[in-house]
Amino acid sequence: MIHIFDGAMGTMLQAGGLEPGGCPELMNIENPEVVKNIHRAYIEAGSTIIETNTFGASSLKLDHYGLADRVAELNAAAVKIAKEAAAGRAKVAGSMGPTGRFVVPLGDLEFEAAYQCFAEQAKALAEAGADYLIIETCIDIQEMRAALLAAKDTAPNIPVICQLSYSEDGRTVTGTDPQSAAIILSAMGADIIGVNCSLGPEQLVPIVRTLAENCDVPISVQPNAGMPYLENGETVFPMGPEDFGRWGTKLLEAGATFLGGCCGTTPAHIAALASTLKDAREPERPKRPKRLWLASRSKAVCIDKELPTRLIGERINPTGRKKLAAEIREGSFLSVKKEALNQVKAGAHLLDVNMGVGGIDQAAAMKHAITEISQLTDAPLAIDTSDTQALEAGLRAYPGRALINSVSAEKDRIAEFLPLAKKYGAAILCLPITDDGVPKTAEARLETIKGIIKAAKNNGLDDGDFLLDALVMTISADANACHEVLRTLALYRQELGYPSTMGLSNISFGLPNRPLINSTFFTMCLAAGLDAPIMNPYDDSMQQARKASAALLGHDPNGLAFSKDEANLSVPKKAAVAKETVLATLPAIKQAVIEGEKDDVAPLVEKAIQEGHSANEITEQALTAAMTEIGEDFGAGRMFLPQVLLSAETMRAAFNKLKELIPASANAENGTVVIATVKGDVHDLGKNITGALLANSGFKLIDLGKDVDSTDIVKAAIENKADIVGLCALMTTTMVQIDKVIADLKEAGCNAKVMVGGAAVTQEYADSAGADAYAPDGVKAVELAKELVK
């Protein structure tokens, strides 16, 4: 069935009398007829689902207007108005917009605070009678996860629609691609998955297609009427109703069955869309194979018998590693982070994370480790624990779809772990261990696994959620250990067809020349059906065995990849060893910044000072050089915002150490920047990102916040002797305030350079307003700021 959403609410409210900078949701109380008439106009145009005027009716957003204590009242009033307007002709979707802040570690908003904020609003909308809950315009998958969990916990019987916003590169601002989003959100129980805002219908067609190809739930789409621009001081949306409506067919063909409009669309746009789709038939989506997909914030990985072997790195595990265990016990995660980075560099596709150290709060340690690692690398994670609280802490903190390592047939593990897997959308590693111990034969292991899968399906899991462990015992204690593992792998493949895994090194315990036994065993297991070994990715013999086996088993057709690797390894060993020298200190500082190694950078700066390097050399040759490379990678899509923010924090740590050791370098700040979102505009996420990057790049930052009057900006610029004034506007209706601030700065005799940015701002507008620079993103803003102060 095809469903038609309504279009923009904000611009319609402004036409109905909403003052610039006013609270849209307060109209539900003070001007309910205006809101009701907007709903009626969309219903007359053909909308079958209308959204409540509650996009910003959460406590965190309402707090800006001093209305945080009126969440229930404003949401209830909005649902009442919408239902009265619908009068049975349309369903009502309770709108929940983003908080405007980033969840830790990208920002200062704790996950639990975000969850509570969304739970409060979801409860109010559900109790008032909303037919759907729609979480929309989110740019961070972790904030979306908090909102979805809150909605499911608070209103379990109401369908939830999850709509992220994507940039022109096909990813959210924080780096999530539509494939990963579809995998994560569908596994967590989103009833409808989609996209809204930021782009026009043409740009959203491929995003809709990718979403539809990676989940089985319905797809929704609400494009803008193109990107707005100013013409003679008026906001103009380039796409008219007729052009907008024509795209309905292409969006439908791409897989969307819930279609509507966002910014710039009107009842006329929705009428054109409804007319286009009036006699259209819902297309049949091809049946998707049930494969095991895992995902980080920005990357999806599939484990399947038809695909090449995926390596699960085993090195983040303190078992038998005294130094790592001691560091974790002391609260240091330096080695954990290094192992994460180095294992991915060595070829690991996933990372197993274990915090099993006695005498510590394992839940807190797991949360910390997952948070740190997920910001450093894009490899999906396996949460390895037998502690229920540690498992939930890790699952809650992880901005992706994790693998639980592991779920055995033991009663406690079945009862406690499977509900968590379902709630958080995790896959499970099934381990054939019962309350009576380890089954000795392959047949017994198969039956045990079948029992785990049956229990898992009773808890709502399905095909595509399982990775089967063949359970390796040591041959020094059991002569049949290898034989039974190979038989187990064969039975798994023959009887169940799910992908398989296991830790390899246990096979050789207590024997000499373990690398030889392990690599030989590895090749035998790959031939028997092993898909995702848990192993040390640094082990060269294992890596060579994997590459050779891929060629022999047909996963590397004609041995092409193997041949290329061998060609690369044909350099004489002496030459290769010569290259493995320790990096000089300045390049090491640069690399630490690029990789976000906050704990490493301060000692390296200290070492550089001891070696006689000046503050200027360290700044220019290491820190500035790092940010230049980061900017290039960010612009090319090789690095995403989480990594950029972590690198910026690392750079700040370097600056702080530099100032501590050479106090005179405190005067070497790049300059002072006063930054603000202009009057009438309450959006500040982009401004906050830019501010963080500037502050961590050696600038003194004066952040005035959002909705700031021109007088206050000019006053702050003069009092702080600002070198740069940064102005942000997200909406075309508030963008004109930039002109006013620039004019007021000139009139006051302020010589500060002006840099502007924000979703609505363009280079052309910046030029016409008299700005000195236009920054399309925070990374570019740092580069431009350095140029402006030279």
Side-chain angles (χ1 to χ4, degrees):
M1 184 175 177
I2 299 170
H3 307 265
I4 306 296
F5 280 116
D6 53 13
M9 173 64 73
T11 48
M12 298 283 284
L13 289 173
Q14 289 169 351
L18 176 64
E19 295 291 334
C23 177
E25 290 74 26
L26 198 55
M27 297 278 280
N28 298 330
I29 303 296
E30 296 182 348
N31 295 286
E33 284 303 314
V34 170
V35 180
K36 187 178 294 185
N37 287 336
I38 294 170
H39 289 320
R40 285 172 176 158
Y42 279 120
I43 293 169
E44 293 300 324
S47 294
T48 57
I49 301 175
I50 55 172
E51 292 189 34
T52 56
N53 178 35
T54 55
F55 180 80
S58 66
S59 59
L60 288 175
K61 295 288 282 193
L62 290 173
D63 185 58
H64 175 73
Y65 305 100
L67 302 173
D69 59 342
R70 298 179 68 179
V71 171
E73 176 192 4
L74 292 171
N75 281 277
V79 174
K80 181 175 183 291
I81 293 166
K83 291 183 82 70
E84 288 175 356
R89 296 177 295 168
K91 297 290 187 181
V92 172
S95 173
M96 298 168 62
T99 63
R101 293 163 63 185
F102 276 133
V103 175
V104 172
L106 302 186
D108 61 355
L109 180 62
E110 292 291 340
F111 185 89
E112 296 309 320
Y115 173 89
Q116 291 300 332
C117 174
F118 287 118
E120 181 184 23
Q121 187 179 9
K123 182 175 185 290
L125 290 167
E127 289 180 349
D131 301 299
Y132 297 90
L133 294 178
I134 179 166
I135 308 160
E136 55 186 340
T137 327
C138 285
I139 59 172
D140 176 24
I141 192 68
Q142 190 66 332
E143 182 177 43
M144 177 62 83
R145 289 183 72 250
L148 177 56
L149 284 169
K152 285 289 184 182
D153 288 347
T154 307
N157 298 319
I158 299 178
V160 181
I161 306 168
C162 294
Q163 293 185 162
L164 290 163
S165 287
Y166 297 86
S167 303
E168 289 183 84
D169 64 356
R171 291 179 179 268
T172 69
V173 168
T174 56
T176 301
D177 59 286
Q179 180 186 43
S180 297
I183 291 165
I184 295 166
L185 297 175
S186 61
M188 288 183 66
D191 298 282
I192 300 160
I193 296 171
V195 52
N196 77 293
C197 203
S198 70
L199 300 171
E202 181 177 4
Q203 294 82 13
L204 292 187
V205 167
I207 290 174
V208 167
R209 185 177 295 115
T210 302
L211 290 172
E213 289 171 350
N214 286 279
C215 67
D216 295 322
V217 301
I219 304 300
S220 62
V221 59
Q222 293 175 285
N224 288 345
M227 289 304 294
Y229 61 91
L230 281 181
E231 188 174 276
N232 299 324
E234 295 291 327
T235 301
V236 176
F237 290 90
M239 186 171 284
E242 190 175 339
D243 288 342
F244 184 85
R246 275 198 292 261
W247 281 97
T249 302
K250 287 184 169 35
L251 291 166
L252 182 69
E253 291 171 351
T257 52
F258 287 72
L259 303 95
C262 201
C263 300
T265 58
T266 65
H269 288 79
I270 300 306
L273 180 66
S275 177
T276 298
L277 299 175
K278 182 178 180 182
D279 298 318
R281 299 182 62 182
E282 180 180 348
E284 287 189 22
R285 285 162 63 182
K287 189 172 179 61
R288 294 172 58 250
K290 293 285 189 179
R291 286 178 161 178
L292 173 58
W293 282 95
L294 300 167
S296 66
R297 182 194 297 275
S298 56
K299 184 179 181 180
V301 172
C302 184
I303 303 175
D304 189 79
K305 62 181 181 292
E306 304 296 332
L307 299 175
T309 306
R310 307 300 187 192
L311 304 187
I312 304 176
E314 67 178 6
R315 299 281 298 171
I316 306 175
N317 190 329
T319 305
R321 300 179 65 192
K322 293 182 180 179
K323 182 176 181 292
L324 180 60
E327 284 190 15
I328 294 172
R329 186 176 289 110
E330 293 165 5
S332 170
F333 288 79
L334 179 58
S335 292
V336 167
K337 291 185 285 185
K338 284 186 174 180
E339 289 286 11
L341 286 169
N342 291 336
Q343 286 186 100
V344 171
K345 287 178 184 176
H349 303 97
L350 297 95
L351 299 175
D352 189 73
V353 182
N354 184 304
M355 291 290 114
V357 177
I360 69 167
D361 183 342
Q362 288 194 29
M366 184 64 79
K367 177 183 176 182
H368 190 154
I370 294 293
T371 300
E372 292 277 3
I373 296 167
S374 63
Q375 194 178 10
L376 276 175
T377 174
D378 62 2
L381 304 183
I383 300 174
D384 185 356
T385 183
S386 58
D387 185 289
T388 305
Q389 291 182 332
L391 175 62
E392 182 157 24
L395 290 171
R396 208 163 176 86
Y398 187 51
R401 186 185 194 218
L403 174 69
I404 295 175
N405 182 10
S406 56
V407 176
S408 66
E410 296 160 294
K411 291 178 182 177
D412 288 347
R413 195 67 66 91
I414 291 286
E416 295 173 2
F417 278 27
L418 290 180
L420 291 178
K422 176 61 178 175
K423 177 176 181 175
Y424 292 98
I428 62 171
L429 187 155
C430 303
L431 186 67
I433 294 179
T434 71
D435 288 313
D436 297 323
V438 178
K440 297 295 183 184
T441 67
E443 289 79 9
R445 292 176 189 176
L446 175 65
E447 290 306 309
T448 302
I449 289 292
K450 286 181 177 179
I452 296 171
I453 291 171
K454 181 180 179 181
K457 289 188 173 183
N458 288 339
N459 276 270
L461 277 70
D462 203 351
D463 298 334
D465 293 335
F466 310 123
L467 183 62
L468 313 184
D469 196 315
L471 197 59
V472 178
M473 307 303 288
T474 178
I475 57 173
S476 61
D478 181 356
N480 290 320
C482 176
H483 179 64
E484 290 303 325
V485 165
L486 297 177
R487 291 184 61 238
T488 301
L489 289 169
L491 280 175
Y492 284 171
R493 181 62 53 87
Q494 178 183 340
E495 296 286 329
L496 299 173
Y498 302 130
S500 58
T501 185
M502 59 188 181
L504 295 162
S505 57
N506 197 40
I507 193 72
S508 62
F509 184 78
L511 296 174
N513 200 353
R514 294 186 68 186
L516 175 60
I517 293 178
N518 290 345
S519 59
T520 304
F521 176 58
F522 185 24
T523 58
M524 297 168 72
C525 291
L526 289 171
L530 177 63
D531 301 294
I534 302 172
M535 57 176 274
N536 178 357
Y538 311 146
D539 190 321
D540 186 61
S541 62
M542 298 286 276
Q543 289 283 20
Q544 291 302 313
R546 177 183 67 84
K547 293 171 186 176
S549 296
L552 292 168
L553 295 172
H555 291 150
D556 173 17
N558 306 115
L560 183 61
F562 179 80
S563 300
K564 287 182 178 179
D565 283 340
E566 285 300 303
N568 292 334
L569 291 171
S570 64
V571 180
K573 281 199 171 184
K574 285 185 180 178
V577 171
K579 291 179 181 178
E580 294 175 3
T581 56
V582 177
L583 283 175
T585 308
L586 293 185
I589 293 172
K590 176 184 172 183
Q591 196 63 25
V593 172
I594 290 171
E595 295 184 351
E597 296 180 348
K598 290 184 293 184
D599 299 317
D600 279 355
V601 77
L604 285 171
V605 169
E606 189 167 357
K607 182 182 177 185
I609 295 296
Q610 291 169 353
E611 291 174 353
H613 292 289
S614 69
N616 186 61
E617 284 178 318
I618 296 169
T619 300
E620 292 301 321
Q621 295 179 36
L623 304 181
T624 300
M627 281 308 290
T628 298
E629 189 170 322
I630 289 164
E632 291 171 356
D633 286 348
F634 182 73
R638 295 187 294 268
M639 180 179 277
F640 306 113
L641 185 62
Q643 290 85 10
V644 172
L645 289 173
L646 187 58
S647 292
E649 289 177 20
T650 305
M651 176 177 281
R652 193 60 181 169
F655 271 123
N656 289 340
K657 176 55 70 171
L658 198 58
K659 292 171 187 177
E660 176 189 323
L661 297 173
I662 307 178
S665 67
N667 298 322
E669 287 273 10
N670 283 320
T672 299
V673 181
V674 169
I675 192 170
T677 302
V678 296
K679 181 67 177 175
D681 202 320
V682 296
H683 303 86
D684 64 353
L685 201 52
K687 184 265 296 175
N688 292 345
I689 295 168
T690 301
L693 292 174
L694 286 167
N696 290 328
S697 298
F699 288 89
K700 180 181 179 183
L701 186 74
I702 311 295
D703 188 343
L704 302 180
K706 56 192 175 185
D707 190 18
V708 185
D709 189 89
S710 177
T711 304
D712 296 327
I713 297 173
V714 173
K715 181 181 177 184
I718 293 172
E719 289 181 351
N720 291 283
K721 298 180 181 179
D723 298 286
I724 299 172
V725 173
L727 303 175
C728 177
L730 187 76
M731 303 183 295
T732 54
T733 51
T734 59
M735 199 162 65
V736 292
Q737 288 291 322
I738 290 176
D739 299 72
K740 176 173 173 51
V741 176
I742 292 175
D744 289 349
L745 285 168
K746 290 179 179 177
E747 185 177 337
C750 180
N751 294 320
K753 301 290 186 182
V754 178
M755 180 164 57
V756 299
V761 181
T762 63
Q763 181 67 63
E764 293 73 21
Y765 173 75
D767 293 340
S768 67
D772 297 286
Y774 160 66
D777 56 62
V779 175
K780 188 66 175 177
V782 173
E783 178 187 332
L784 291 170
K786 290 179 178 179
E787 290 296 321
L788 289 174
V789 298
K790 277 185 179 179

Short mmCIF file of all heavy atoms in Angstrom, two decimals, residues 164 166 176-187 193 210-215 219:
data_model
loop_
_atom_site.label_atom_id
_atom_site.label_comp_id
_atom_site.label_asym_id
_atom_site.label_seq_id
_atom_site.Cartn_x
_atom_site.Cartn_y
_atom_site.Cartn_z
N LEU A 164 16.73 9.22 8.86
CA LEU A 164 17.98 9.97 8.96
C LEU A 164 18.05 11.00 7.83
O LEU A 164 17.33 10.88 6.83
CB LEU A 164 19.17 9.03 8.87
CG LEU A 164 19.41 8.10 10.07
CD1 LEU A 164 20.35 6.97 9.68
CD2 LEU A 164 19.96 8.86 11.25
N TYR A 166 20.74 12.71 5.08
CA TYR A 166 22.02 12.43 4.45
C TYR A 166 22.52 13.65 3.68
O TYR A 166 21.74 14.45 3.17
CB TYR A 166 21.89 11.25 3.48
CG TYR A 166 21.51 9.95 4.17
CD1 TYR A 166 20.17 9.65 4.42
CD2 TYR A 166 22.48 9.06 4.60
CE1 TYR A 166 19.82 8.46 5.07
CE2 TYR A 166 22.14 7.88 5.25
CZ TYR A 166 20.81 7.59 5.48
OH TYR A 166 20.45 6.43 6.12
N THR A 176 27.45 7.87 8.66
CA THR A 176 26.67 6.65 8.45
C THR A 176 26.11 6.60 7.03
O THR A 176 25.46 7.55 6.58
CB THR A 176 25.52 6.54 9.46
OG1 THR A 176 26.07 6.56 10.78
CG2 THR A 176 24.73 5.26 9.26
N ASP A 177 26.36 5.51 6.34
CA ASP A 177 25.83 5.29 4.99
C ASP A 177 24.47 4.60 5.10
O ASP A 177 24.15 3.98 6.12
CB ASP A 177 26.80 4.43 4.18
CG ASP A 177 27.04 3.09 4.84
OD1 ASP A 177 27.75 3.04 5.87
OD2 ASP A 177 26.50 2.08 4.36
N PRO A 178 23.65 4.68 4.06
CA PRO A 178 22.30 4.09 4.15
C PRO A 178 22.29 2.58 4.33
O PRO A 178 21.38 2.04 4.95
CB PRO A 178 21.63 4.51 2.83
CG PRO A 178 22.72 5.02 1.95
CD PRO A 178 23.81 5.48 2.84
N GLN A 179 23.30 1.88 3.81
CA GLN A 179 23.35 0.43 4.02
C GLN A 179 23.51 0.11 5.49
O GLN A 179 22.77 -0.72 6.04
CB GLN A 179 24.51 -0.19 3.22
CG GLN A 179 24.60 -1.70 3.43
CD GLN A 179 25.82 -2.31 2.76
OE1 GLN A 179 26.91 -1.76 2.82
NE2 GLN A 179 25.63 -3.46 2.12
N SER A 180 24.47 0.75 6.15
CA SER A 180 24.68 0.50 7.58
C SER A 180 23.45 0.90 8.38
O SER A 180 23.05 0.20 9.32
CB SER A 180 25.90 1.29 8.07
OG SER A 180 27.08 0.85 7.43
N ALA A 181 22.83 2.04 8.02
CA ALA A 181 21.64 2.50 8.73
C ALA A 181 20.52 1.47 8.63
O ALA A 181 19.85 1.16 9.63
CB ALA A 181 21.18 3.84 8.17
N ALA A 182 20.30 0.94 7.44
CA ALA A 182 19.23 -0.05 7.24
C ALA A 182 19.49 -1.30 8.07
O ALA A 182 18.57 -1.86 8.69
CB ALA A 182 19.12 -0.40 5.75
N ILE A 183 20.74 -1.75 8.10
CA ILE A 183 21.10 -2.95 8.85
C ILE A 183 20.90 -2.74 10.35
O ILE A 183 20.31 -3.57 11.05
CB ILE A 183 22.56 -3.35 8.54
CG1 ILE A 183 22.66 -3.86 7.10
CG2 ILE A 183 23.07 -4.41 9.52
CD1 ILE A 183 24.07 -3.93 6.57
N ILE A 184 21.39 -1.62 10.86
CA ILE A 184 21.31 -1.33 12.29
C ILE A 184 19.87 -1.15 12.75
O ILE A 184 19.43 -1.76 13.73
CB ILE A 184 22.14 -0.08 12.63
CG1 ILE A 184 23.63 -0.31 12.36
CG2 ILE A 184 21.91 0.35 14.09
CD1 ILE A 184 24.46 0.96 12.34
N LEU A 185 19.12 -0.31 12.05
CA LEU A 185 17.78 0.07 12.50
C LEU A 185 16.76 -1.05 12.31
O LEU A 185 15.87 -1.24 13.14
CB LEU A 185 17.33 1.34 11.79
CG LEU A 185 18.20 2.58 12.08
CD1 LEU A 185 17.75 3.76 11.24
CD2 LEU A 185 18.16 2.93 13.57
N SER A 186 16.87 -1.80 11.22
CA SER A 186 15.93 -2.91 11.03
C SER A 186 16.16 -3.99 12.07
O SER A 186 15.21 -4.58 12.59
CB SER A 186 16.05 -3.48 9.61
OG SER A 186 17.35 -4.00 9.37
N ALA A 187 17.43 -4.24 12.42
CA ALA A 187 17.72 -5.24 13.45
C ALA A 187 17.18 -4.81 14.80
O ALA A 187 16.77 -5.64 15.62
CB ALA A 187 19.22 -5.49 13.53
N ILE A 193 11.79 2.48 7.73
CA ILE A 193 13.08 3.16 7.70
C ILE A 193 13.13 4.09 6.50
O ILE A 193 12.69 3.72 5.41
CB ILE A 193 14.24 2.14 7.64
CG1 ILE A 193 14.26 1.29 8.91
CG2 ILE A 193 15.58 2.83 7.44
CD1 ILE A 193 15.23 0.14 8.86
N THR A 210 19.18 2.03 -1.84
CA THR A 210 20.10 1.31 -0.95
C THR A 210 19.40 0.86 0.33
O THR A 210 19.62 -0.27 0.81
CB THR A 210 21.31 2.19 -0.59
OG1 THR A 210 21.98 2.59 -1.79
CG2 THR A 210 22.29 1.46 0.31
N LEU A 211 18.56 1.72 0.89
CA LEU A 211 17.80 1.33 2.07
C LEU A 211 16.94 0.11 1.78
O LEU A 211 16.90 -0.85 2.55
CB LEU A 211 16.92 2.49 2.54
CG LEU A 211 17.62 3.71 3.16
CD1 LEU A 211 16.62 4.84 3.38
CD2 LEU A 211 18.31 3.35 4.47
N ALA A 212 16.24 0.15 0.64
CA ALA A 212 15.33 -0.94 0.28
C ALA A 212 16.07 -2.25 0.04
O ALA A 212 15.54 -3.34 0.32
CB ALA A 212 14.52 -0.56 -0.96
N GLU A 213 17.30 -2.16 -0.45
CA GLU A 213 18.07 -3.36 -0.76
C GLU A 213 18.67 -4.01 0.49
O GLU A 213 19.15 -5.14 0.41
CB GLU A 213 19.20 -3.01 -1.74
CG GLU A 213 18.70 -2.71 -3.15
CD GLU A 213 19.82 -2.15 -4.04
OE1 GLU A 213 20.90 -1.83 -3.50
OE2 GLU A 213 19.59 -2.04 -5.26
N ASN A 214 18.64 -3.30 1.62
CA ASN A 214 19.33 -3.79 2.80
C ASN A 214 18.44 -4.03 4.00
O ASN A 214 18.94 -4.20 5.12
CB ASN A 214 20.46 -2.84 3.16
CG ASN A 214 21.63 -2.96 2.21
OD1 ASN A 214 22.45 -3.85 2.33
ND2 ASN A 214 21.69 -2.06 1.23
N CYS A 215 17.13 -4.04 3.80
CA CYS A 215 16.20 -4.41 4.88
C CYS A 215 14.89 -4.85 4.25
O CYS A 215 14.67 -4.68 3.05
CB CYS A 215 15.99 -3.24 5.85
SG CYS A 215 15.13 -1.82 5.13
N ILE A 219 9.90 1.46 3.29
CA ILE A 219 10.82 2.58 3.19
C ILE A 219 10.03 3.88 3.02
O ILE A 219 9.07 3.94 2.26
CB ILE A 219 11.77 2.42 1.98
CG1 ILE A 219 12.52 1.08 2.08
CG2 ILE A 219 12.75 3.59 1.89
CD1 ILE A 219 13.38 0.92 3.32
#
